[in-house]
Amino acid sequence: MAYPGYPAQPTQPQVDPLWGYFSAVAGQDGQIDADELQRALTSSGIAGSYQPFNRSTCVIMITMLDRDRSGQMGFNEFKELWTALNQWKETFMRFDGDRSGTIEGHELQQAISSFGFNLSPQAIAVILRRYGIQGRVKFDDFVALCVRLRALTAQFQQRDTARNGTAMFQFDDFIQVTMML
């Protein structure tokens, strides 16, 4: 109880449960790189019973949120990534009909559609060839394709000023956008 003229008793600051995973690997600058992100995600158990994320997936996860192009992410970006990973994991589990730990082509199409994308069968086939092994996509690869879809869509939308599904890219801009992922 606070008395007039006396400050209320200080309360313990709320500590974000993700801070422990982040701070355990972050450097002095409060940032993490791809190797540190891989360690943080592995120790957190976010991948569940799936294989830990490979380094290349961690690189593109950082790239997706790397607004200053430093190759690293801070705690707020880590929290943003955590939210996205949980959504992608939930989607993956929902469409892994046989609980094999992989999703097949028709499940992949449904999962991508659930994100609001209306891709052609040809685009789905290209994605499946890129991310699948024998027609099946593992969770790590599903996350990698979700990162790329999100990042490329954001880049496309920045250039589709008329919002008509058409964007203009200069060649150098196109190379930068596609190679950053």
Side-chain angles (χ1 to χ4, degrees), residues 158-178:
Q158 286 179 0
R159 290 155 180 85
D160 181 14
T161 55
R163 300 290 181 242
N164 62 3
T166 303
M168 294 294 294
F169 286 82
Q170 295 293 325
F171 182 70
D172 190 68
D173 187 33
F174 171 77
I175 293 299
Q176 287 180 48
V177 166
T178 57

Side-chain angles (χ1 to χ4, degrees), residues 136-149:
R136 301 176 83 73
V137 178
K138 298 182 298 184
F139 180 62
D140 180 74
D141 294 319
F142 181 75
V143 168
L145 83 86
C146 289
V147 168
R148 283 194 173 98
L149 275 175

Side-chain angles (χ1 to χ4, degrees), residues 63-121:
T63 301
M64 174 183 72
L65 299 169
D66 189 9
R67 292 170 186 96
D68 66 356
R69 297 189 180 196
S70 66
Q72 297 183 322
M73 71 170 43
F75 183 59
N76 288 333
E77 291 87 6
F78 182 74
K79 290 192 316 184
E80 186 179 340
L81 175 63
W82 188 271
T83 299
L85 283 171
N86 276 306
Q87 292 170 344
W88 295 331
K89 183 177 178 181
E90 181 181 299
T91 300
F92 186 88
M93 292 170 64
R94 187 169 70 240
F95 290 101
D96 178 14
D98 61 1
R99 302 291 178 247
S100 64
T102 61
I103 55 176
E104 299 173 30
H106 68 282
E107 295 167 328
L108 177 63
Q109 188 278 326
Q110 292 170 339
I112 289 173
S113 291
S114 78
F115 296 137
F117 292 100
N118 185 18
L119 301 180
S120 69

